[in-house]
Amino acid sequence: MTARQGCSNGSIGRAAKPDGSAGTKSTFGYWQIVVDNRSYFAHRLAWLYEYGQWPTMFLDHVDGNKVNNAISNLREVTHKENMSHYWGKHRFTHKSGINRVPHYHF
């Protein structure tokens, strides 16, 4: 992640790499950055940097790209809204026709 993608290297300090990037990808696909020995999701740090306070709700990546942490791509949503966006992007269709039921091939 670079400063253009929504997080200032100034807030990361010496953890930034020479190319201006910082952090690692989590197992969930989000950028994580360690600050003062504590791990944070980069999109939450970007929100804090831009607005001066932590988000009060869940943060949604508008375009669905978990590594696009541009502030214009982040919005606060309720848990219900966040989950509806998740299921909209990860819809399973079972052979019964019922959505959200994974279809396993044995």
Side-chain angles (χ1 to χ4, degrees):
M1 188 178 95
T2 66
R4 274 188 215 161
Q5 294 169 316
C7 195
S8 164
N9 285 338
S11 66
I12 298 163
R14 58 195 162 129
K17 298 176 183 118
D19 66 357
S21 65
T24 58
K25 248 190 192 180
S26 74
T27 55
F28 302 106
Y30 297 99
W31 279 107
Q32 283 185 298
I33 298 172
V34 176
V35 178
D36 293 332
N37 294 321
R38 184 167 175 196
S39 183
Y40 297 92
F41 286 121
H43 56 281
R44 297 184 63 80
L45 288 173
W47 189 274
L48 173 65
Y49 179 77
E50 181 70 18
Y51 297 110
Q53 62 185 23
W54 292 106
T56 58
M57 298 191 296
F58 290 83
L59 288 182
D60 179 47
H61 289 83
V62 177
D63 67 0
N65 180 353
K66 295 177 180 183
V67 296
N68 179 0
N69 294 312
I71 202 68
S72 61
N73 190 48
L74 301 175
R75 63 179 169 194
E76 282 190 302
V77 295
T78 65
H79 181 260
K80 183 177 181 178
E81 290 170 322
N82 201 36
M83 293 312 297
S84 73
H85 297 151
Y86 174 84
W87 283 112
K89 296 170 192 160
H90 298 91
R91 187 168 298 274
F92 297 105
T93 303
H94 189 264
K95 62 182 176 182
S96 67
I98 299 171
N99 289 331
R100 299 185 186 165
V101 178
H103 182 97
Y104 298 103
H105 297 282
F106 295 100

